[in-house]
Amino acid sequence: MRYESKRPRRQFLAGVKCPKCDEMDAVVQVRIFEPEEDEYIECTKCGHSERRPDPEAIREKNALANDAMSTGTQGTVRFIK
Ligand SMILES: [Zn+2]
């Protein structure tokens, strides 16, 4: 279903307790793609939602920083006419 690719995706997180009401298996992970890609968790029981630290996002940021640094130095070296 192509037309659904940008709609929020919800996935139940088995074995995860809601930090607010302590309900087990009521927490869904919600992924949204618009306006920009984001991710948070939401409790279907009490409606509590919160951002959670995403280790993958941090890894991505680090990779980008490394990339920018290496291309940056290469760029200055190659700019000789
Ligand atoms: Zn809850």
Side-chain angles (χ1 to χ4, degrees), residues 10-61:
R10 293 166 162 264
Q11 188 184 16
F12 266 97
L13 297 175
V16 174
K17 254 203 301 193
C18 170
K20 198 171 185 186
C21 69
D22 269 1
E23 183 73 20
M24 190 65 116
D25 293 341
V27 176
V28 290
Q29 180 181 28
V30 187
R31 264 189 97 179
I32 58 165
F33 301 93
E34 286 176 331
E36 57 185 42
E37 201 168 325
D38 205 352
E39 204 175 69
Y40 59 93
I41 57 166
E42 190 178 272
C43 175
T44 55
K45 196 85 176 179
C46 70
H48 173 74
S49 70
E50 71 175 38
R51 303 289 307 273
R52 47 165 215 162
D54 190 345
E56 219 151 52
I58 295 163
R59 241 179 285 142
E60 259 172 52
K61 254 182 213 159

